[in-house]
């Protein structure tokens, strides 16, 4: 027997790192199982590739860094050499990359290409973790590093299945187009769907319910700290509430119910997944209670910033990476902190959240104006190229609450847009309220109508029925007489009459303000084809993939001049809508940018590229010779793809 | 576990319920000439001298105080031998052969209640100094210095919490010598003219509460109160105890006596009783011998100066031939011995023998269990990083000096890192 040298304390708690990591894996289990059930083999392959590659890369790096000095490679295959290395390889060298691997897989869409998964896990594990010194030394979350890397490099390949590729990916993608889309988004996926996970999206992020189950397990076992998770969700919720209220209070979008938008933003995207499984990663968090709360607030606010003010619909992984950089700073300023909260921390957090709310509130109210333009172009969809300037006039009729002049890009007036509200005291109690946006063109014909809100005191389905009715009965080009004779029996009879009154009020108001004669001919198609006759009914609808509208341009004799294709597309950071005009010979006439949904930096480059490179007379074969604008490669490629799509449609459909 | 760790393994079951073993007559006793607080000493006896119980046989000199060395048995001085002190150092010990007569030295006499009632704080201070009473909870702080305070004291706080795992020596002491505890408290109340005294015990020790309340009631003492505090560690740390028992927060660096509170360990109070009543220094004490490395763990009443090896034999020896960790004191803060060739001094509360289980240190994952658990509110993980970088400024910013070395950071570490050791290194850097 020997007495051994030890130092106090001599007894230890049972809990160890491996237990915490196994707990995280268990907490991930429901999410993983759900992802496999929902996506089948596509999910299994992504999970397995990511899991095994992360574990393998950690093994590889451990072998390199812990290689016994002077040992030859062939010694590895002898028993002693293997043992030497094996002694330095612990269970944590498997569990930690396994967690990273599964989290990384869960934030990818199912069916992602195998090499995309592989490249991301290599970058996440080697650059994001092992180069920093392995477990405990990495400052960035490896899974987030991998995800952001593939997001940037293979953005176009990360497609979310199950939805029309061109209208966007996830529910959040729809909202990023404009908060107004909340109605579309909600009609596609209800809040309950979001909660249960019946929506497209990254594999693990869709089911809020299962994520909360995992969170319950993790926090009950104390294997993760609930503080950063709660503070992240909390700060995001505060900002979202302010943004929702601002958006809902804008007169144009009476349709947004703040709580609905609030719930939608909170449940969609990777917010909950990130809050439960990624922000709680102890290695990349500060080490004090208050530090972890601050860290959560930073992640939550960055996510809100990216969602509401950025071009990218989803920002949790980015936010986590950025906040990871603040962790050493947070720790530094909390040196000597007694691990207790004080009022200074509270004031700091509340104050900075307040400032952020102000900034975002202003951004959103500006964005709602942009959204208004979006509706305008929607209403005048045969005439595109609306400019952003809105001149407001006082409407004459009291049904009309707002009136703006719609102008084309060339500055010519192409009509009016009205917001109309009809309130009605329902005899059975309560007040019904109908809100619509109505476009009237320069010839005092209806350009379009969009019902933005229906509030019915007793009839929940009123909104969808009315919307359906309006889509059926009202169409572009209706005159005042057509509207007076519209069939009032298709929908709810009362509602139908109210809508008719609103449309008549709008047309009436437009007729009383005749547009100056010289503006009448203005529109973009005419600017392309000088002999184009706008009075012809010239729309041949042909919605195909990528090509939304085909417009046949004719001269006054009815001879075809050419075709204009409206094409839209998106990549991960933004969207584009183009009008591509192609003449009878199959040569390009011109390309007009209808919607430049690029980032602030690349947007002007894309406009420049379109103006300079896509000139008249180009053929399909010439397109490959156009070089991408440096710095805006993804946008440039998208332009090229869209123009090609127009050519393909032209070659396939028009000949 | 990312949470505050306060409840730690109890492990008292090994010894607590067992009857008390008396082993008060060893053949030889060994008395340390110097100790951790006193570096030099004079010895008044030579080999062959006859000594009696409580006879002064030497004097230790500390930096600012001196301390008598009393014989704890009657018998014959054998000589000076080298043995291990409880601090783990090899020091000189006076070896005395026991004649089993237990004859007391002439200074030992029983004071009458009238005599005792006439004693002032200064008188008691002198008695305590002559009897060389020190803090028996393990601090070995000379008790007479506490008696020298001029701060007005309103509350006497008796620490009977014994918060470290495995230990039940104080528990058994209170159970057996309740009368001495309560009488000792009345002496302390008299000395400091305090209004009241409290005895802090653990919530779960209801039997202690019963026995203390019974004795207090029998004496008709209205100003002594039994206060039950939490079962967690380090509840016995005086700042934590005062906070739980009295609701008073003592700022770090301030002596509780400045706030009118005087603390004594329950064994010290029994020592005080002996000193005041009989003018008798501490010659026996309660001692816990426990751990999974010893065959028969139990509480023993021992003579101060007994060799540990003998006590190991009393407990039937070690369980097997595997490596053992030998601890004097509690398993959280006690000292480690590399040889069992040590001696029970009056401040040794326990010996714990554990089977050695080597642990592998994993890299720190910054889970911050240590930060959440630290009772002082330090950040052990940051102290570790700063110590590794030899960053003295940061260490000062982290208040490393206020660490009480309770060991909770190491105990709770999920990566099994010996943080306590690193913090000790850090403390040396800051010095």
């Amino acid at each position: 027997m020997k007495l051994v040298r030890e130092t106090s304390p001599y007894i230890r708690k049972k809990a160890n790192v491996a237990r915490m990591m196994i707990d995280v894996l268990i907490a991930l289990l429901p999410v993983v199982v759900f992802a496999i059930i929902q996506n089948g083999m596509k999910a299994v392959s992504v999970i397995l590739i990511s899991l095994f590659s992360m574990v393998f890369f950690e093994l590889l790096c451990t072998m390199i860094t812990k290689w016994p000095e002077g040992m030859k490679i062939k010694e590895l295959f002898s028993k002693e050499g293997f043992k030497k290395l094996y002694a330095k390889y612990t269970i944590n060298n498997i569990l930690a990359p396994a967690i990273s691997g599964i989290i990384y897989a869960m934030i990818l869409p199912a069916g992602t290409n195998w090499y995309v998964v592989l490249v991301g896990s290599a970058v996440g594990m080697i650059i994001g973790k092992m180069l920093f010194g392995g477990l405990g030394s990495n400052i960035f979350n490896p899974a987030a590093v991998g995800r952001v890397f593939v997001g940037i490099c293979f953005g176009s390949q990360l497609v979310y299945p199950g939805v029309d590729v061109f209208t966007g990916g996830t529910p959040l993608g729809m909202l990023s187009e404009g908060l107004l889309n909340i109605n579309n988004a909600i009609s596609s996926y209800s809040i309950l769907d979001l909660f249960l996970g019946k929506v497209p999206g990254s594999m693990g992020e869709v089911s809020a319910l299962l994520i909360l189950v995992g969170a319950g397990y993790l926090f009950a076992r104390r294997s993760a700290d609930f503080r950063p998770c709660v503070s992240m969700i909390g700060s995001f919720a505060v900002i979202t509430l302010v943004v929702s209220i601002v958006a809902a209070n804008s007169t144009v979008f009476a349709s947004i119910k703040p709580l609905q938008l609030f719930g939608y933003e909170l449940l969609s995207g990777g917010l909950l997944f990130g809050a439960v499984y990624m922000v709680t990663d102890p290695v990349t968090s500060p080490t004090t209670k208050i530090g972890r709360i601050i860290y959560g607030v930073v992640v939550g606010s960055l996510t809100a910033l990216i969602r509401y003010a950025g071009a990218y619909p989803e920002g949790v992984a980015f936010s986590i990476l950025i906040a990871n950089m603040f962790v050493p700073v947070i720790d530094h300023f909390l040196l000597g902190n007694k691990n207790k909260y004080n009022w200074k921390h509270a004031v700091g957090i509340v104050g900075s959240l307040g400032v952020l709310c102000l900034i975002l509130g202003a951004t959103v109210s500006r964005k709602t104006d942009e959204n208004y333009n979006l509706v305008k172009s929607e209403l005048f969809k045969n005439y595109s190229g609306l400019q952003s300037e809105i001149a407001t006039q006082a409407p004459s009729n009291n049904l009309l609450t707002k009136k703006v002049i719609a102008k084309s890009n060339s500055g010519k007036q192409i009509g009016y847009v009205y917001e109309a509200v009809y309130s009605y005291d329902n005899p059975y109690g309560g007040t019904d309220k109908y809100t619509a946006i109505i476009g009237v063109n320069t010839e005092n014909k209806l350009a379009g109508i969009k019902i933005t809100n229906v509030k019915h005191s007793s009839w929940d389905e009123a909104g969808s029925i009315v919307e359906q009715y309006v889509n059926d009965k009202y169409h572009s080009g209706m005159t005042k007489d057509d509207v007076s004779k519209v069939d009032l029996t298709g929908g709810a009879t009362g509602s139908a009459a109210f809508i008719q009154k609103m449309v008549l009020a709008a047309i009436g108001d437009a007729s009383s303000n005749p547009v100056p004669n010289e503006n009448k001919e203005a529109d973009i198609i005419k600017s392309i084809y000088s002999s184009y006759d706008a009075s012809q009914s010239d729309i041949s609808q042909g919605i195909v993939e990528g090509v939304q509208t085909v417009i046949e341009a004719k001269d006054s004799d009815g001879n075809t001049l050419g075709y204009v294709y409206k094409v839209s597309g998106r990549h991960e950071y933004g969207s584009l809508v183009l009008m591509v005009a192609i003449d009878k010979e199959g040569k390009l006439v011109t390309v007009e940018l209808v919607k430049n949904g690029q980032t602030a930096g690349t947007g002007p480059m894309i406009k420049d590229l379109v103006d300079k490179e896509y000139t008249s007379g180009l053929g399909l074969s010439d397109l490959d010779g156009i070089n991408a604008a440096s710095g805006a490669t993804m946008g440039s490629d998208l332009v090229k793809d869209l123009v090609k799509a127009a050519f393909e449609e032209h070659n396939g459909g028009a000949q | 576990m990312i949470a505050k760790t306060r409840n730690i393994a109890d492990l008292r079951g090994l010894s607590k319920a067992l009857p008390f073993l008396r082993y008060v007559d060893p053949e030889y006793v060994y008395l340390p000439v110097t100790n951790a607080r006193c570096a030099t000493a004079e010895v008044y006896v030579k080999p062959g001298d006859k000594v009696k119980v409580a006879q002064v046989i030497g004097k230790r000199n500390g930096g600012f105080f001196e301390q008598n060395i009393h014989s704890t048995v009657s018998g014959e001085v054998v000589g000076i031998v080298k043995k291990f002190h409880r601090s783990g150092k090899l020091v000189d010990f006076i070896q005395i052969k026991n004649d089993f007569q237990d004859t007391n030295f002439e200074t030992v006499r029983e004071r009458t209640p009238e005599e005792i009632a006439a004693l002032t704080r200064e008188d008691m201070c002198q008695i305590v100094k002559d009897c060389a009473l020190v803090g028996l909870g393990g601090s070995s702080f000379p008790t007479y210095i506490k008696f020298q305070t001029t701060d007005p004291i309103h509350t006497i706080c008796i620490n009977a919490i014994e918060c470290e795992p495995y230990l039940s020596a104080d528990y058994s002491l209170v159970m057996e010598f309740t009368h001495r505890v309560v009488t000792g408290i009345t002496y302390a109340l008299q000395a400091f003219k305090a209004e009241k005294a409290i005895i802090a015990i653990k919530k779960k020790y209801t039997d202690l509460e019963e026995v203390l309340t019974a004795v207090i009631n029998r004496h008709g003492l209205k100003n002594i109160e039994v206060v039950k505090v939490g079962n967690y560690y380090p509840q016995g740390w005086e700042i934590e105890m005062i906070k739980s028992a009295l609701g008073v927060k003592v700022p770090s660096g301030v002596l509780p006596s400045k706030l009118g509170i005087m603390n004594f360990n329950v064994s010290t109070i029994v020592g005080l009783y002996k000193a005041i009543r009989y003018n008798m220094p501490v010659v026996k004490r309660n001692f816990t011998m426990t751990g999974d490395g010893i065959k028969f763990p139990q509480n023993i009443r021992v003579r101060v100066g007994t060799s540990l090896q003998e006590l190991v034999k009393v407990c039937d020896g070690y369980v097997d031939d595997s490596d053992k960790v030998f601890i004097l004191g509690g398993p959280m803060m006690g000292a480690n011995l590399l040889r069992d060739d040590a001696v029970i001094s009056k401040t040794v509360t326990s010996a714990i023998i554990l089977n050695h289980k080597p642990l592998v240190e994993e890299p720190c994952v910054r889970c911050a269990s240590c930060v959440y658990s630290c009772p002082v509110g330090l950040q052990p993980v940051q102290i570790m990083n700063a110590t590794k970088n030899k960053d003295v400024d940061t260490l000062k910013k982290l208040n490393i000096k206020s660490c009480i070395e309770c060991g909770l950071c190491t105990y709770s570490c999920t990566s099994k890192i010996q943080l306590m050791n690193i913090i000790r290194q850090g403390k040396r850097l800051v010095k």
Side-chain angles (χ1 to χ4, degrees):
Chain A
M1 192 200 75
K2 204 174 82 196
L3 294 184
V4 187
R5 180 180 293 282
E6 280 284 336
T7 44
S8 68
Y10 308 92
I11 50 172
R12 303 298 181 86
K13 207 174 180 174
K14 279 210 183 87
N16 56 22
V17 175
R19 194 211 94 164
M20 295 203 306
M21 296 209 264
I22 290 170
D23 276 349
V24 175
L25 286 174
I26 294 173
L28 278 165
L29 203 64
V31 181
V32 171
V33 170
F34 181 74
I36 293 173
I37 292 171
Q38 206 184 26
N39 301 298
M41 285 316 287
K42 281 179 178 175
V44 174
S45 69
V46 172
I47 293 169
L48 287 183
I49 293 168
S50 136
L51 182 67
F52 284 108
S53 59
M54 286 254 185
V55 175
F56 170 76
F57 288 126
E58 165 122 9
L59 172 67
L60 195 72
C61 295
T62 314
M63 273 169 68
I64 294 169
T65 51
K66 301 248 174 101
W67 192 262
E69 214 164 304
M71 191 167 108
K72 294 196 180 78
I73 291 175
K74 63 181 172 192
E75 278 182 66
L76 177 64
F77 302 102
S78 69
K79 214 172 180 183
E80 290 74 37
F82 180 76
K83 265 188 185 163
K84 265 192 222 166
L85 209 59
Y86 180 73
K88 293 176 178 174
Y89 195 70
T90 68
I91 183 77
N92 293 350
N93 290 80
I94 297 169
L95 289 175
I99 292 176
S100 297
I102 289 184
I103 291 179
Y104 169 64
M106 287 297 112
I107 52 180
L108 282 174
T112 307
N113 268 333
W114 64 270
Y115 61 86
V116 175
V117 180
L118 198 66
V119 168
S121 70
V123 170
M125 188 43 64
I126 298 173
I127 296 177
K129 182 173 170 192
M130 298 315 283
L131 282 188
F132 285 93
L135 180 64
S137 308
N138 51 314
I139 64 167
F140 292 113
N141 188 316
V145 171
R147 175 63 179 84
V148 167
F149 184 82
V150 297
I152 292 170
C153 295
F154 304 100
S156 55
Q157 296 206 20
L158 300 180
V159 197
Y160 297 97
V163 222
D164 179 358
V165 202
F166 290 95
T167 52
T170 60
L172 207 57
M174 295 171 76
L175 282 189
S176 81
E177 282 289 296
L179 293 171
L180 182 78
N181 277 345
I182 181 78
N183 283 341
N184 287 340
I186 290 205
S187 63
S188 312
Y189 319 108
S190 73
I191 293 206
L192 189 69
D193 288 341
L194 278 173
F195 189 71
L196 297 176
K198 294 198 276 189
V199 294
S202 295
M203 284 195 286
E205 295 174 347
V206 289
S207 173
L209 178 69
L210 292 177
I211 293 171
L212 291 178
V213 168
Y217 178 79
L218 264 188
F219 298 147
R221 292 275 288 169
R222 300 294 183 98
S223 287
D225 196 345
F226 63 91
R227 290 177 187 85
C229 171
V230 170
S231 73
M232 171 180 167
I233 297 174
S235 59
F236 180 83
V238 167
I239 296 176
T240 301
L241 200 62
V242 171
V243 164
S244 305
I245 290 169
V246 168
N249 279 350
S250 75
T251 50
V252 189
F253 300 110
S255 61
I256 296 180
K257 296 181 189 75
L259 280 178
Q260 207 171 35
L261 181 61
F262 177 71
Y264 217 82
E265 286 285 354
L266 218 55
L267 292 175
S268 55
L271 182 84
L272 282 180
F273 186 86
V276 171
Y277 298 106
M278 294 171 82
V279 171
T280 52
D281 170 25
V283 178
T284 53
S285 321
T287 55
T288 49
K289 286 180 189 167
I290 184 67
R292 286 182 171 169
I293 288 178
I294 295 172
Y295 172 65
V297 170
V298 172
V299 180
S301 342
L302 281 172
T303 308
L305 257 177
I306 294 176
R307 279 201 191 172
Y308 303 131
Y312 195 64
E314 172 61 297
V316 175
F318 274 119
S319 320
I320 288 173
L321 283 193
I322 297 170
N324 284 161
M325 294 192 281
F326 287 110
V327 168
V329 183
I330 296 172
D331 271 345
H332 178 82
F333 281 107
L334 290 172
L335 285 182
N337 175 282
K338 288 204 143 195
N339 201 26
K340 287 197 174 112
Y341 316 109
N342 65 29
W343 61 271
K344 281 185 204 159
H345 301 138
V347 169
I349 291 173
V350 171
S352 34
L353 274 182
V355 171
L356 258 177
C357 286
L358 282 180
I359 296 173
L360 277 174
T363 314
V364 168
S365 62
R366 189 185 60 81
K367 260 199 162 180
T368 53
D369 283 344
E370 283 177 6
N371 285 327
Y372 196 81
N373 284 343
L374 214 71
V375 178
K376 276 201 307 183
S377 33
E378 188 73 16
L379 297 186
F380 288 88
K381 60 183 166 195
N382 305 339
Y383 312 78
S384 29
L386 289 164
Q387 70 180 41
S388 57
E389 181 214 340
I390 301 174
T392 310
Q393 290 184 349
S396 60
N397 192 305
N398 58 8
L399 285 181
L400 306 173
T401 50
K402 191 166 181 179
K403 173 186 182 184
V404 301
I405 300 168
K407 291 183 174 180
S408 76
N409 266 352
S410 49
K412 297 194 171 161
Q413 185 170 351
I414 56 175
Y416 293 104
V417 179
Y418 297 91
E419 185 190 62
V421 178
Y422 195 97
S423 298
Y424 168 66
D425 288 327
N426 196 317
Y428 302 104
T431 307
D432 300 347
K433 194 172 163 191
Y434 300 82
T435 312
I437 295 180
I438 301 163
V440 183
N441 69 15
T442 48
E443 293 172 350
N444 302 329
K445 288 177 185 166
L446 186 66
I449 173 169
K450 192 172 175 92
I451 302 291
T452 53
N453 190 23
V454 173
K455 201 180 123 219
H456 199 282
S457 52
S458 57
W459 193 21
D460 289 341
E461 299 89 61
S464 53
I465 303 247
V466 169
E467 206 165 319
Q468 186 60 44
Y469 167 77
V470 168
N471 287 344
D472 284 353
K473 305 290 180 194
Y474 289 87
H475 51 85
S476 165
M478 285 171 96
T479 61
K480 194 175 181 178
D481 290 346
D482 296 337
V483 175
S484 322
K485 281 182 249 158
V486 81
D487 178 13
L488 293 180
T489 56
T493 324
S495 316
F498 306 147
I499 289 159
Q500 189 187 35
K501 280 182 186 164
M502 292 196 285
V503 176
L504 287 176
I507 295 179
D509 184 83
S511 327
S512 61
N513 294 286
V515 177
N517 215 20
E518 64 270 23
N519 283 346
K520 277 193 173 180
E521 57 194 358
D523 68 18
I524 188 168
I525 301 171
K526 187 135 190 171
S527 75
I528 299 172
Y529 294 101
S530 49
S531 47
Y532 167 70
D533 181 3
S535 65
Q536 294 262 358
S537 97
D538 52 5
I539 314 292
S540 60
Q541 294 286 356
I543 298 189
V544 292
E545 279 192 339
V547 180
Q548 290 188 342
T549 322
V550 182
I551 302 156
E552 195 177 1
K554 295 177 180 170
D555 64 16
S556 44
D557 302 329
N559 298 320
T560 303
L561 294 164
Y563 295 88
V564 181
Y565 299 90
K566 185 172 170 194
V567 283
S568 66
R570 59 174 21 254
H571 55 79
E572 222 181 335
Y573 305 104
S575 59
L576 281 176
V577 180
L578 299 181
M579 291 196 79
V580 182
I582 300 171
D583 66 16
K584 280 187 296 186
E585 273 74 45
K587 295 285 180 207
L588 189 68
V589 179
T590 189
V591 176
E592 290 280 332
L593 257 175
V594 177
K595 180 166 174 264
N596 192 351
Q598 297 291 302
T599 56
T602 57
M605 295 190 206
I606 294 298
K607 183 165 177 3
D608 224 36
L609 173 89
V610 169
D611 290 349
K612 288 203 178 121
E613 299 289 346
Y614 291 89
T615 49
S616 160
L618 292 176
L620 178 58
S621 52
D622 302 322
L623 294 178
D624 290 330
I626 297 175
N627 289 325
S630 94
T633 327
M634 287 172 83
S636 311
D637 288 348
L638 184 61
V639 171
K640 193 182 285 184
D641 289 345
L642 291 177
V643 175
K644 275 185 183 168
F647 266 105
E648 277 155 19
E649 173 65 18
H650 182 80
N651 295 341
Q655 282 174 0
Chain B
M1 289 266 281
I2 307 180
K4 189 177 178 70
T5 300
R6 299 210 299 183
N7 296 311
I8 60 177
D10 183 63
L11 304 162
R12 285 182 179 76
L14 289 174
S15 61
K16 186 177 149 222
L18 291 181
F20 215 88
L21 187 82
R22 295 183 74 83
Y23 187 76
V24 289
D25 281 313
E27 195 171 348
Y28 293 99
V29 295
Y30 304 87
L31 301 168
V33 175
T34 56
N35 64 18
R37 287 185 188 267
C38 306
T40 59
E42 307 160 47
V43 177
Y44 301 153
V45 291
K46 55 185 187 304
D49 284 1
K50 295 280 181 206
V51 294
K52 290 177 179 167
V53 176
Q55 183 179 349
V56 177
I57 56 171
K59 182 177 271 183
R60 303 183 191 109
N61 294 310
F64 54 96
F65 62 90
E66 46 195 33
Q67 203 175 49
N68 289 331
I69 308 172
H70 297 93
S71 172
T72 57
V73 290
S74 58
E76 188 187 327
V77 177
V78 179
I80 306 276
V81 290
K82 293 261 184 203
K83 271 188 171 284
F84 282 94
H85 185 251
R86 73 176 189 108
S87 58
K89 282 190 192 128
L90 194 62
V91 298
D92 287 343
F93 281 79
I94 305 168
Q95 187 184 14
I96 301 169
K97 190 174 191 314
N98 192 359
D99 64 3
F100 301 104
Q101 297 303 311
D102 249 353
T103 40
N104 288 337
F105 196 59
E106 50 265 32
T107 52
V108 178
R109 64 186 181 88
E110 184 169 356
R111 288 191 178 90
T112 61
E114 292 75 33
E115 257 184 289
I116 292 171
L119 292 174
T120 61
R121 182 169 57 80
E122 288 78 13
D123 298 334
M124 287 202 196
C125 180
Q126 192 55 47
I127 296 169
V128 165
K129 187 177 180 183
D130 290 342
C131 290
L133 187 62
V134 296
L136 297 182
S139 70
S140 347
F141 187 75
T143 307
Y144 81 87
I145 294 181
K146 283 190 167 180
F147 273 77
Q148 280 172 345
T149 181
T150 50
D151 299 320
I153 302 296
H154 54 73
T155 307
I156 309 279
C157 212
I158 307 302
N159 187 346
I161 296 169
E162 206 172 32
C163 61
E164 287 215 40
Y166 283 113
L167 310 191
S168 52
D170 283 355
Y171 169 85
S172 60
L173 181 81
V174 178
M175 286 302 270
E176 197 183 13
F177 302 118
T178 325
H179 172 76
R180 294 183 192 179
V181 172
V182 173
T183 317
I185 295 171
T186 60
Y187 296 163
L189 281 168
Q190 180 193 336
F192 292 104
K193 297 192 178 65
E195 293 155 22
K196 62 163 183 173
I198 59 153
I199 308 171
I201 57 164
K202 282 196 168 175
K203 241 182 235 160
K204 60 182 171 189
Y205 290 166
T206 45
D207 41 358
L208 277 191
E209 188 194 9
E210 278 167 26
V211 66
L212 280 167
T213 321
V215 173
I216 291 168
N217 289 343
R218 191 168 304 166
H219 285 260
L221 297 165
K222 294 246 158 27
N223 53 354
I224 303 180
E225 192 192 340
V226 180
V227 178
K228 291 190 283 180
V229 296
N231 296 326
Y232 56 85
Y233 180 85
Q235 183 67 80
W237 175 35
E238 64 179 14
I239 291 180
E240 196 74 29
M241 176 185 73
I242 292 172
K243 200 172 120 194
S244 314
L246 297 172
V248 176
K249 232 181 141 185
V250 183
S252 83
V254 175
L255 283 175
S257 65
K258 296 276 173 225
L259 303 174
I261 298 161
M262 181 56 77
N263 281 327
F264 290 106
N265 185 275
V266 68
S267 344
T268 317
I269 276 295
V270 173
L272 181 73
Y273 166 81
K274 278 285 199 180
I276 304 287
R277 186 77 187 268
Y278 299 106
N279 216 18
M280 178 73 140
V282 177
V283 295
K284 295 171 200 160
R285 73 156 295 136
N286 279 23
F287 180 81
T288 306
M289 187 80 161
T290 184
D292 56 8
I294 191 126
K295 275 189 188 152
F296 194 77
Q298 60 194 326
N299 284 321
I300 317 172
R301 180 109 181 132
V302 296
R303 185 77 68 162
V304 171
T306 312
S307 154
L308 254 177
Q309 275 166 333
E310 265 178 77
L311 290 176
V312 170
K313 272 188 214 126
V314 168
C315 293
D316 232 7
Y318 301 108
V319 283
D320 51 27
D321 219 23
S322 63
D323 288 355
K324 302 277 185 290
V325 181
F326 201 117
I327 308 151
L328 276 193
M332 296 297 281
M333 297 177 73
N336 176 232
L337 285 186
L338 287 180
R339 290 175 59 184
D340 53 6
D341 187 14
V343 169
I344 309 292
S345 71
K346 55 190 164 191
T347 53
V348 176
T349 57
S350 57
I352 297 165
I353 296 121
L354 301 175
N355 289 320
H356 185 234
K357 297 180 206 81
L359 289 167
V360 184
E361 283 195 10
E362 298 278 349
C364 171
V365 295
R366 295 163 56 86
C367 72
S369 299
C370 51
V371 182
Y372 286 19
S373 301
C374 181
V376 190
L378 301 180
Q379 298 177 20
V381 54
Q382 301 289 4
I383 293 178
M384 174 178 83
N385 294 339
T387 306
K388 282 181 180 166
N389 296 335
K390 301 206 169 17
D391 185 349
V392 176
D393 290 344
T394 305
L395 283 176
K396 281 179 185 159
K397 220 187 251 176
L398 287 163
N399 294 325
I400 185 172
K401 290 234 157 164
S402 55
C403 172
I404 57 167
E405 305 200 8
C406 68
L408 265 179
C409 46
T410 312
Y411 179 78
S412 61
C413 180
T414 53
S415 294
K416 310 294 166 204
I417 297 169
Q418 231 310 355
L419 279 156
M420 203 56 253
N421 251 357
I422 299 171
I423 293 173
R424 287 191 196 107
Q425 285 168 24
K427 280 185 168 175
R428 285 196 286 275
L429 281 179
V430 171
K431 226 167 239 175

